Amino acid sequence: MHTATPPYDLRTFAERLCGFASTAGDEAAAADWLAGRFDDFGFDVYEWEADPALLADHPSFPDDPADIDAAGRPSVAGVAEFGDPDAGPTLVLNGHVDVVPADPELWETDPYDPVWRRDGADETLTARGAADMKAGLAACVYAALDLRAAADDGAADADLNGRVVVEAVAGEEDGGIGAAASTLDSPYPFDRDAVVVAEPTDLTPVTATEGSVMMRLRLRGRSAHAATRWRGVDVLPKFEAVRAAFADLESERAAAVTHPLYESFPVPWPVVCGTVRAGSWASTVPGTLESEWRLGVAPGETVAEVEAAFERRLAEVVAADDWLADHPPTFERFSVQFEPAEIDAGEPVVEALRGAMADADVPDRGVAGATYGADSRHYVAAGVPAVLFGPGTIDQAHFPDESVPWRDVERARRVYAATARRFLADAAGYDEFRGDDSGDRSSVEK
């Protein structure tokens, strides 16, 4: 049964969703609240948790299930059906409910007490997750409601058939726990045909996302008292030699590995040493060092290929240093990996999205690439095309006083609704693109 008028407007919905401190492992309260709202809105509600044993066989995650924190981290979805749902495609509007931690000392306000600010005609919502990506997720929910209201009123296309699924997944920041689980063991009794992921893209369609591999480097020198430091082998210069070599490789890769959607980035495949821990005492020559690295992987490359390239460069540094040659470092993967992903700009979901942008008077600057990874890769790997599109900018993601322009949230809502209308109304066009002439939706392979 449909609820004619939702008990919340979009502003209130986004504000309440941003009020949850849904960091890794603490998504359950936000997911339960969303499931309740999906039920209030008359959606069919689905819920699932990831199986660590299943994820351990996935290249994104550690090989040991004990290293995958999935318990008590539900993902939820609300499904709206239109016409004959089995006669049309299924479009997923996807967002993640988890957020990265916030340091209150760096914020002007409480990160989980949303604040509205107005500057003339412009208004912003400030909260952890406002841009990444709860406002976008809220816009997805209300786009589905808008499309259903139009269909109920007879204002939508008469031949509108199919489903719109609003997914709120857990653990995106941890490698995509909820999204990966849903592609490995679908929680739905139907197939998904395309996905729009509501990441903050400045309302630009993103059809290519970069991957990354996380590596841990351990170096060993020889400790000595600071008063006789010449008796030790300081590990820091060894580390700096590796760091310089990796910086050179980053520059070489920027010139050698090209992609038309990444030409505008000053560093298309970034390499970052995010943490360094060395030594044990201020008066002791540092004899051990551990550092953690994030290496960018271009669309069209594999994580293994990039890992091997940096291993070869490290081997050159080791070969040129007698101490390192006798005391070789270790360089191993850790944490989660992000595979790159890309879809054709001619995919029906991309064309529907760009047509919807025109419907909503949103400027179309063409498709773009992103230097970060996203849950879209899990759907693409499963054969389901996924495009990123959402309000706000990645420059606000993970930042203090994270904010999103509210006008862009409202525009995203209109674009999502128009995208769904176009995609569901053009089942024949989808079948033609996929090479399926039967008209039977169940025959579309994933």
Side-chain angles (χ1 to χ4, degrees), residues 49 122 167 184 189 211 235 379 387 406:
E49 283 193 17
D122 297 325
E167 281 187 346
L184 294 172
V235 76
Y379 300 99
V387 58
W406 191 248

Side-chain angles (χ1 to χ4, degrees), residues 10-161:
L10 175 57
R11 288 172 61 94
T12 302
F13 189 96
E15 182 179 303
R16 295 195 178 189
L17 185 56
C18 286
F20 289 95
S22 51
T23 53
D26 289 324
E27 299 99 333
D32 289 346
W33 183 82
L34 282 165
R37 303 296 73 73
F38 290 157
D39 187 58
D40 290 343
F41 297 162
F43 295 158
D44 294 330
V45 182
Y46 293 83
E47 181 174 331
W48 66 97
E49 283 193 17
D51 179 356
L54 196 61
L55 293 182
D57 289 332
H58 191 288
S60 286
F61 300 95
D63 294 335
D64 186 349
D67 293 334
I68 303 174
D69 179 18
R73 305 180 68 178
S75 297
V76 297
V79 179
E81 296 187 337
F82 299 87
D84 180 356
D86 293 325
T90 293
L91 177 68
V92 176
L93 303 177
N94 167 279
H96 62 83
V97 73
D98 58 307
V99 298
V100 298
D103 185 347
E105 293 185 4
L106 301 178
W107 284 63
E108 294 181 3
T109 58
D110 183 335
Y112 302 106
D113 185 8
V115 174
W116 296 91
R117 292 187 172 94
R118 182 175 290 279
D119 181 9
D122 297 325
E123 190 174 24
T124 59
L125 173 62
T126 299
R128 172 54 86 221
D132 186 21
M133 53 184 292
K134 290 180 175 178
L137 175 56
C140 291
V141 174
Y142 278 75
L145 289 170
D146 291 343
L147 186 63
R148 192 185 63 189
D152 287 348
D153 292 343
D157 299 87
D159 58 349
L160 199 65
N161 295 303

Side-chain angles (χ1 to χ4, degrees), residues 358-370:
D359 295 342
D361 295 323
V362 173
D364 185 354
R365 298 179 291 272
V367 300

Side-chain angles (χ1 to χ4, degrees), residues 213-219 239 243 246 271-277 289-295 330-335:
V213 55
M214 307 291 281
M215 303 293 295
R216 181 177 287 125
L217 172 69
R218 291 188 174 98
L219 297 167
F239 168 73
R243 190 181 184 198
F246 283 4
V271 174
V272 172
C273 179
T275 68
V276 181
R277 294 174 288 274
L289 182 145
E290 180 178 284
S291 58
E292 294 175 342
W293 297 76
R294 187 264 199 195
L295 314 176
T330 62
F331 192 48
E332 300 171 332
R333 290 190 196 184
F334 75 101
S335 187

